[in-house]
Amino acid sequence: MINIVSLRRTCPALPSQWEAETDDGRVVLIHYKRTILTVSYLGPNRRGRVEDFFRATLTECDFVDGELYDDGFAEFPTIKSVLVKAGVLSFPEGVDIPDDF
């Protein structure tokens, strides 16, 4: 499991997207669009996807906290729930997600 130490939202919808930094200093892109959730490492200076290491198709059952299913938009609680259940990423308790878009 990859440990996330900081996270910021970089796009609100189409795609819903976040950039995160790992505890070993790498940058991860979390991207949701057209039902597909992808997690990738980004290259130097946050340019280009270097390696996709997780990909899943989300369904209505994956959406949490009363969020309605949408194939182009997802709130962070849904994304976090899917990634933690899959054992892909771990997040610090009470992680704050500033909207930087």
Side-chain angles (χ1 to χ4, degrees):
M1 186 173 298
I2 298 165
N3 298 311
I4 300 301
V5 295
S6 67
L7 180 72
R8 67 187 180 100
R9 185 172 209 151
T10 56
C11 187
L14 299 168
S16 294
Q17 186 169 282
W18 300 262
E19 285 184 12
E21 188 170 326
T22 66
D23 59 357
D24 64 359
R26 296 201 277 176
V27 178
V28 169
L29 176 70
I30 303 166
H31 177 95
Y32 174 74
K33 184 177 180 183
R34 297 189 187 121
T35 74
I36 305 296
L37 174 62
T38 308
V39 183
S40 312
Y41 284 116
L42 292 181
N45 302 318
R46 290 179 157 85
R47 292 182 184 237
R49 294 181 188 188
V50 173
E51 172 190 358
D52 288 353
F53 60 87
F54 178 79
R55 187 176 185 90
T57 301
L58 301 192
T59 66
E60 189 173 350
C61 298
D62 293 311
F63 282 67
V64 299
D65 293 342
E67 181 182 358
L68 298 176
Y69 173 75
D70 186 328
D71 68 350
F73 175 79
E75 290 290 347
F76 186 69
T78 292
I79 300 304
K80 179 181 176 183
S81 172
V82 170
L83 295 173
V84 169
K85 282 181 191 175
V88 176
L89 299 177
S90 69
F91 298 90
E93 282 298 314
V95 65
D96 185 29
I97 307 154
D99 290 331
D100 288 348
F101 43 87

